[in-house]
Amino acid sequence: MAVDALDTRILRLLIEQPRTSVREYARILGVARGTLQARLDRLERDGVITGTGPALSPAALGHPVLAFVHLEVTQGHLDEVGDALAAVPEIIEVFSTTGGGDLLTRVVARDNGHLEDVIQQLIQLPGVVRTRTEVALRERVAHRVLPLVEAVGRAVGGAG
């Protein structure tokens, strides 16, 4: 999907001012509300905008420990293990990967003891052969997309 200069400006506003109204976005951008709404609808339809909810902090929800758990899975059981992982509330993301494991999970926990309990739960899932855990010590770069949006905008000769 091609993202042009106006799309880039829209996406920057959505990231920087997520609680602003569509009417106010249109005013800031100097475009008609209908034009802005059509652009937003297209960006959602094309999968560029994937959500509009608030970003939540697991740490503020009482789960300050973050770990990445790699799982090796018995061949042919990837979908079944993925479904089982979706039932564990402390798992906040799961990706299929190449390399040293089949699945990479992002796990949050109340403390190290709780993390161990979650890992033990994962090890017992049918189809899980082995796990390897890495505990995050400090976030160095928070999840972000704005620099990518700006780079894409520059590549199409637009926003900056």
Side-chain angles (χ1 to χ4, degrees):
M1 175 216 156
V3 175
D4 66 15
L6 178 57
D7 293 334
T8 301
R9 291 174 59 214
I10 292 168
L11 293 170
R12 179 183 298 132
L13 271 178
L14 290 174
I15 291 167
E16 292 177 343
Q17 300 177 35
R19 299 184 81 170
T20 302
S21 70
V22 172
R23 169 183 259 158
E24 182 63 11
Y25 287 143
R27 187 194 66 72
I28 292 168
L29 294 168
V31 299
R33 186 181 181 286
T35 299
L36 177 62
Q37 190 62 60
R39 291 290 186 118
L40 289 171
D41 291 345
R42 181 179 51 82
L43 290 166
E44 286 182 18
R45 186 175 54 251
D46 291 347
V48 175
I49 297 173
T50 59
T52 57
L56 304 177
S57 166
L61 293 170
H63 289 67
V65 176
L66 170 64
F68 300 93
V69 180
H70 301 262
L71 287 85
E72 288 183 34
V73 176
T74 305
Q75 282 190 332
H77 290 88
L78 205 55
D79 289 339
E80 145 189 346
V81 171
D83 291 344
L85 294 173
V88 179
E90 294 86 358
I91 293 179
I92 57 177
E93 286 184 299
V94 179
F95 298 93
S96 296
T97 62
T98 62
D102 300 302
L103 295 171
L104 173 63
T105 65
R106 187 170 168 213
V107 179
V108 294
R110 293 184 302 274
D111 53 39
N112 287 345
H114 181 219
L115 176 60
E116 182 182 11
D117 293 343
V118 173
I119 293 166
Q120 290 301 318
Q121 183 179 354
L122 301 182
I123 290 170
Q124 295 174 20
L125 293 175
V128 172
V129 176
R130 178 177 299 111
T131 66
R132 188 181 88 245
T133 303
E134 298 170 4
V135 176
L137 299 176
R138 180 180 297 153
E139 182 176 71
R140 298 292 179 168
V141 177
H143 177 79
R144 67 203 180 127
V145 191
L146 184 56
L148 178 62
V149 168
E150 291 172 340
V152 168
R154 283 190 301 272
V156 297

